[in-house]
Amino acid sequence: MSSVNAASFSPDDFVWKGLTLTESAAKQILTLVEQDPAVKGLKLSVKQSGCAGFGYVMDLVKEPADDDLQFEQFGAKLFVPLQAMPFVDGTELDYVREGLNQIFKFNNPKAQHACGCGESFGVE
């Protein structure tokens, strides 16, 4: 299995498909934004983590970074750092109920495998 890291990708080599939000995810982002007028949206990035290689990181955004790409649907804004795009391009962000919990769910076509706990993913 080959090792993949952010330095091995050149963003100029890609035509991005982008990220999409389900209506449920957009509603949750708008709920979070309503709680603090300074918040502009949600940021999705990745970090090396977990047993599968990478983990998703989500943060509220008050001021997007210069290299953040913005995706907007249903009035909700999702920001993604350019260097994260090779790992999350084409991802659909959903917000679902699992038992008693409600969580953001990542439908990522680039994720080739995930760890048993569901907290990290790997790409080939």
Side-chain angles (χ1 to χ4, degrees):
M1 185 165 89
S2 64
S3 176
V4 178
N5 64 51
S8 67
F9 290 97
S10 171
D12 297 331
D13 295 338
F14 293 89
V15 174
W16 305 120
K17 296 174 188 160
L19 280 80
T20 56
L21 299 170
T22 65
E23 189 171 357
S24 178
K27 284 181 183 178
Q28 180 59 23
I29 292 170
L30 291 171
T31 298
L32 295 170
V33 167
E34 288 172 3
Q35 295 173 7
D36 183 348
V39 171
K40 295 185 176 164
L42 196 64
K43 182 179 219 170
L44 171 63
S45 54
V46 296
K47 67 177 181 176
Q48 288 192 319
S49 163
C51 51
F54 298 96
Y56 298 106
V57 179
M58 298 186 73
D59 294 299
L60 295 174
V61 174
K62 292 188 176 179
E63 195 59 45
D66 290 339
D67 70 339
D68 284 349
L69 301 178
Q70 178 181 309
F71 301 95
E72 185 171 349
Q73 288 182 290
F74 305 105
K77 294 178 184 174
L78 180 66
F79 299 95
V80 180
L82 185 58
Q83 67 269 22
M85 286 302 292
F87 304 100
V88 298
D89 189 34
T91 295
E92 175 191 64
L93 182 62
D94 197 4
Y95 189 73
V96 299
R97 178 180 295 276
E98 289 186 352
L100 298 175
N101 299 315
Q102 292 184 357
I103 60 168
F104 282 105
K105 197 83 153 161
F106 307 94
N107 300 313
N108 183 350
K110 298 224 178 253
Q112 299 297 312
H113 54 278
C115 69
C117 66
E119 292 296 319
S120 65
F121 68 99
V123 295
E124 299 283 330

